[in-house]
Amino acid sequence: MKNSEKNIENKGVKNNMKNNFVEPASDAATELKELFIDSLKDIYWAENALVGALPKMADNATSAALSSAILEHLDVTQNQVKRLEEVFELLGEKAEGKKCEAMAGLLKEGDSILLETAPGAVRDAGIIAASQKIEHYEIATYGTLVAFAKTLGENNAAKLLTQTLAEEKEADCVLNDVALNAVNIVAAE
C-alpha cells in the first residue's frame, strides 16, 4: 500500500470516529466517583423495581421450587436495597434512584414472556430465562461497582457490594439448578 493510500485510509478511520462521537450531557460525570454514584443510583432503582416485579413472577410460576426460589430472592433483594442505602450513607450521599433503562427493558421482556406462554413448565422455563438475564445484568453491575469502590478506596462500600455480588451469583446458580433438574425436563416432554 502506498503512503497516500495509507493516509486516505487513516483519514477515513478518523472521520468515522468523529462521526460517531457522542456529545456528553451537561451533567455528565467527569470523575470516577461521579460515575460510581450515578451507577449506584441506577442499580438502586433496578433493585426497587425488582421488589415490585418478583411477586408477579412467583405468582405466575407453577413449579413450587421456582416460586420458592423467587420469593426467597425477594427477601434477599429487599436486604440488597437496604445495603445500597448503607453504601449511599457511607459515601455521604442521599439514597435515590435513577431509572435503569436496562432493568426496565429486562422487566418488560419478562412481562412479554408471561403473555407469550401458557401457564405450566414452558412458562416456568421462560420465567427462569428472564430471571437469569436479570441476574447476569446484576452480576455485571455489581462487579463493576466493586471495582469502582476499590479503586476509589471505598473499602467498606466494596465489602457491602461484594456481599450483594455473591448473592446475585448464588441466585443465578439456584435458578440454573431449578431449570436443569426440574423445569426444563418437564417443559421438554
Side-chain angles (χ1 to χ4, degrees), residues 23 52 71 76 80 83 169:
E23 205 53 52
L71 291 175
V76 171
Q80 290 171 345
R83 196 175 298 128
K169 289 178 179 179

Side-chain angles (χ1 to χ4, degrees), residues 19-172:
N19 289 338
N20 292 320
F21 181 77
V22 175
E23 205 53 52
S26 61
D27 63 346
T30 58
E31 296 179 9
L32 184 60
K33 186 158 186 179
E34 290 175 288
L35 181 59
F36 178 50
I37 292 167
D38 189 61
S39 298
L40 286 168
K41 290 177 181 181
D42 194 70
I43 197 67
Y44 185 67
W45 184 96
E47 295 290 16
N48 278 297
L50 273 176
V51 167
L54 288 172
K56 181 179 182 180
M57 295 168 112
D59 288 347
N60 281 280
T62 54
S63 161
L66 177 56
S67 183
S68 176
I70 293 169
L71 291 175
E72 285 176 27
H73 194 61
L74 173 59
D75 290 338
V76 171
T77 303
Q78 290 168 330
N79 288 328
Q80 290 171 345
V81 168
K82 291 176 187 167
R83 196 175 298 128
L84 282 168
E85 290 168 353
E86 287 181 55
V87 171
F88 279 110
E89 190 175 316
L90 285 170
L91 299 172
E93 296 287 330
K94 179 183 174 193
E96 61 182 344
K98 174 184 169 190
K99 185 174 183 181
C100 175
E101 297 296 339
M103 185 61 74
L106 290 167
L107 292 174
K108 184 177 178 185
E109 184 175 340
D111 284 343
S112 71
I113 285 173
L114 296 177
L115 292 171
E116 296 167 3
T117 56
V122 172
R123 178 180 278 181
D124 288 351
I127 290 170
I128 291 171
S131 297
Q132 285 193 290
K133 287 179 185 181
I134 289 168
E135 292 307 324
H136 293 182
Y137 173 76
E138 289 179 307
I139 290 166
T141 298
Y142 282 108
T144 298
L145 289 171
V146 168
F148 286 173
K150 287 179 179 179
T151 300
L152 293 166
E154 297 290 351
N155 296 328
N156 291 331
K159 286 178 188 173
L160 293 171
L161 295 165
T162 298
Q163 187 177 348
T164 300
L165 176 59
E167 291 168 349
E168 300 299 1
K169 289 178 179 179
E170 176 62 23
D172 184 52

